[in-house]
Amino acid sequence: MPLSLARSGDQVVCVSVEGSVGSRRHLNDLGILPGTRMQVVSGGSQPGPVVINVRGAKLMLGRGMAHRIMVRPD
């Protein structure tokens, strides 16, 4: 499922990253790769940006960018 549909507090693992080469590179630079564990801090199933915790860092992603990250429950 897309990260944009995960709920606040969910622990998820990145399965794949979709989108353009530039989008994938940007997410790669942020440390979001297949196999990366993350926690949805806020906004997962609500309108607006999605805040995630990745390796101890909080990242805010636009909903469109979060929709390109496919995740599964951890």
Side-chain angles (χ1 to χ4, degrees), residues 7 11 15 23 30 32 38-39 42-44 52 58 67 74:
R7 296 181 182 182
Q11 298 276 348
V15 174
S23 295
L30 293 174
I32 301 173
M38 58 189 94
Q39 180 180 22
S42 67
I52 58 172
K58 286 187 181 173
H67 202 70
D74 186 17

Side-chain angles (χ1 to χ4, degrees), residues 50-70:
V50 176
V51 179
I52 58 172
N53 190 337
V54 179
R55 299 182 182 117
K58 286 187 181 173
L59 302 175
M60 182 180 295
L61 303 171
R63 182 151 298 277
M65 189 67 77
H67 202 70
R68 295 180 178 124
I69 303 169
M70 297 296 120

